Amino acid sequence: MLSCIECGRTYDSRNPRWKCECGGLLDIPLNTSFEPKLLKNRPHSMWRYREVLPIENNENIVSFDEGFTPLLSISFGNRKILIKQDHLFPSGSYKDRGASVLISKAKELGIKHIVEDSSGNAGAAIAAYCAKASISCDIYVPEKTSPGKLTQIESYGAHLHRIPGTREDTATAVLETAENIYYASHCWNPYFFQGTKTFAYEICEQLGWKAPDTVILPVGNGTLFLGAFIGFKEMRDGGLISTLPKLIGVQSEACAPLFEGYRQKKAVPIPIEPHETIAEGIAIARPVRGKQILEAVQETRGSIISVQENEILSSLSQMHQSGFYIEPTSGAALAGIIKYLKTLESDELIVSVFTGHGLKSGGKIYYDR
Ligand SMILES: *Cc1c(COP(=O)(O)O)cnc(C)c1O
Ligand SMILES: [Zn+2]
């Protein structure tokens, strides 16, 4: 079932809708039916949580056996943080979690053609899963997207549309097309978040069915942030974990509408004028689900942190020189960790993430040695 967060109207899950008739966002009700004993003898992929992934027929699952990424301990000064290695997905970012469930659903609905807009990685993930499912796809990206990501999207056989201007101009361009073609949007479409919620399930399983105290994530549209929130809530309500971790979102100061909303204690993001940032994956001036992100921050007693360009660069360089080849957007979360640790007095179990692979942003040197 799909239900509108604005007017409460519900739709059958066989209805190929991505928004309510009133224009509101659709969500899928929480599913608390998962039990760890179901895991016996299942492969280590995100589909091991099958009962809470809303695809009716197994034949429709579009998967590369992705997920269950390593949760590795990395030192920051004298503290250890667990980092989920989500840059190791088949298309090189955690967006594969969402794409696997969303494109499986598209297949289940009998959809043959989709459109999507993205700053790069979501487009690449959707293009990969469409290639596997033989669904034709049109991907809209800002003209300035990293060349590596553009090549990747085209290589999968997607029709690539490069739109001049900002990320918001790209979103506007796709909305017209989305009136007639299924909109496989990682921001609007609720099935994407049903995939990204497996991030939370994997972490709790890897910790022996325990929630961490704090989870620090880069945030733009919140596709990982809200997915994690859904996952942790399902597990808490189902009794698998006893508390929700604090969810901390990190934004680039150059484009920080959520940080401004949080700082000014508002329920919604503050409209801002976006500036250039190397954290292109989170350069989102108008997050569609911004209100939900700020609600998740409040419900988990979390926060939003903003970091400067030079802080992103230095964290990125530090990680590269430790042998982790991640993309610049992932550097933002690390800069957020460093900032958060400075304010921290108690001992906390902190989990963060590498969201994207460095090979995607190839060709540019971002920092001086
Ligand atoms: C998509 C993405 C993010 C975060 O995305 P939002 O959904 O906009 O919050 C972070 N890092 C990378 C590499 C991404 O591709
Ligand atoms: Zn509605």
Side-chain angles (χ1 to χ4, degrees):
M1 191 183 73
L2 303 166
S3 78
C4 174
I5 68 163
E6 299 297 337
C7 73
R9 188 167 167 179
T10 62
Y11 300 90
D12 187 273
S13 53
R14 264 156 267 172
N15 192 331
R17 277 201 157 268
W18 56 269
K19 69 173 175 187
C20 182
E21 260 171 23
C22 80
L25 289 156
L26 296 174
D27 268 348
I28 291 168
L30 295 183
N31 180 344
T32 57
S33 68
F34 196 75
E35 293 172 54
K37 66 168 192 261
L38 294 164
L39 289 168
K40 221 173 147 218
N41 301 326
R42 287 192 181 173
H44 284 86
S45 89
M46 59 174 258
W47 286 91
R48 62 203 263 104
Y49 313 105
R50 178 71 185 90
E51 286 72 15
V52 290
L53 299 177
I55 303 300
E56 277 167 40
N57 191 335
N58 280 344
E59 281 171 19
N60 295 322
I61 293 175
V62 184
S63 167
F64 296 97
D65 268 1
E66 59 289 283
F68 215 79
T69 52
L71 186 63
L72 201 66
S73 175
I74 297 181
S75 297
F76 286 78
N78 54 6
R79 305 268 321 210
K80 286 202 185 323
I81 309 282
L82 294 171
I83 307 273
K84 192 94 170 112
Q85 312 279 301
D86 269 19
H87 60 311
L88 302 178
F89 269 90
S91 87
S93 87
Y94 79 85
K95 298 283 191 327
D96 289 3
R97 294 185 186 276
S100 184
V101 172
L102 174 51
I103 299 305
S104 298
K105 187 62 198 179
K107 187 174 171 191
E108 188 148 270
L109 292 166
I111 285 159
K112 300 277 184 277
H113 187 185
I114 63 100
V115 287
E116 154 76 323
D117 58 312
S118 145
S119 61
N121 285 340
I126 294 286
Y129 287 80
C130 280
K132 192 151 200 295
S134 300
I135 291 174
S136 123
C137 78
D138 281 77
I139 306 285
Y140 289 67
V141 294
E143 203 172 49
K144 279 179 288 190
T145 302
S146 293
K149 295 179 185 175
L150 300 180
T151 307
Q152 187 184 10
I153 293 169
E154 280 195 311
S155 303
Y156 287 130
H159 308 285
L160 185 66
H161 305 259
R162 295 161 211 230
I163 309 299
T166 62
R167 173 70 182 83
E168 282 61 46
D169 295 324
T170 301
T172 310
V174 85
L175 278 172
E176 260 173 56
T177 347
E179 294 298 323
N180 305 310
I181 308 174
Y182 188 69
Y183 190 22
S185 167
H186 59 297
C187 317
W188 279 92
N189 201 305
Y191 287 99
F192 198 89
F193 299 81
Q194 294 294 304
T196 53
K197 79 182 182 186
T198 57
F199 176 78
Y201 278 86
E202 290 177 16
I203 290 170
C204 293
E205 184 182 351
Q206 287 167 319
L207 294 175
W209 296 107
K210 203 177 96 184
D213 298 309
T214 306
V215 177
I216 303 180
L217 304 172
V219 65
N221 273 311
T223 61
L224 185 58
F225 196 89
L226 288 171
F229 181 56
I230 294 168
F232 286 122
K233 275 230 291 213
E234 286 186 348
M235 287 183 282
R236 198 265 321 258
D237 293 359
L240 293 185
I241 56 174
S242 51
T243 53
L244 293 177
K246 276 192 283 187
L247 291 184
I248 298 183
V250 186
Q251 296 218 286
S252 155
E253 202 174 81
C255 188
L258 293 163
F259 172 72
E260 278 308 316
Y262 171 75
R263 194 175 65 83
Q264 298 179 31
K265 299 193 165 53
K266 295 276 164 43
V268 289
I270 305 293
I272 51 104
E273 209 36 65
H275 298 283
E276 291 261 332
T277 169
I278 58 159
E280 65 176 13
I282 51 170
I284 308 294
R286 273 169 270 158
V288 180
R289 292 182 183 263
K291 186 159 173 267
Q292 286 184 317
I293 296 169
L294 291 174
E295 279 165 8
V297 166
Q298 211 180 20
E299 192 174 333
T300 63
R301 295 164 295 107
S303 62
I304 305 277
I305 294 174
S306 89
V307 292
Q308 291 172 356
E309 219 54 19
N310 62 345
E311 295 174 306
I312 301 175
L313 282 169
S314 86
S315 323
L316 186 66
S317 150
Q318 195 187 321
M319 273 311 119
H320 287 175
Q321 288 174 48
S322 312
F324 296 99
Y325 199 45
I326 51 172
E327 69 163 273
T329 306
S330 303
L334 301 169
I337 294 173
I338 292 166
K339 204 159 179 176
Y340 181 71
L341 289 178
K342 283 189 190 143
T343 66
L344 192 66
E345 281 152 20
S346 59
D347 213 25
E348 288 183 1
L349 177 56
I350 303 173
V351 172
S352 187
V353 62
F354 288 157
T355 46
H357 204 289
L359 290 172
K360 288 176 152 272
S361 50
K364 283 189 219 164
I365 294 171
Y366 293 95
Y367 45 78
D368 296 327
R369 293 276 219 112

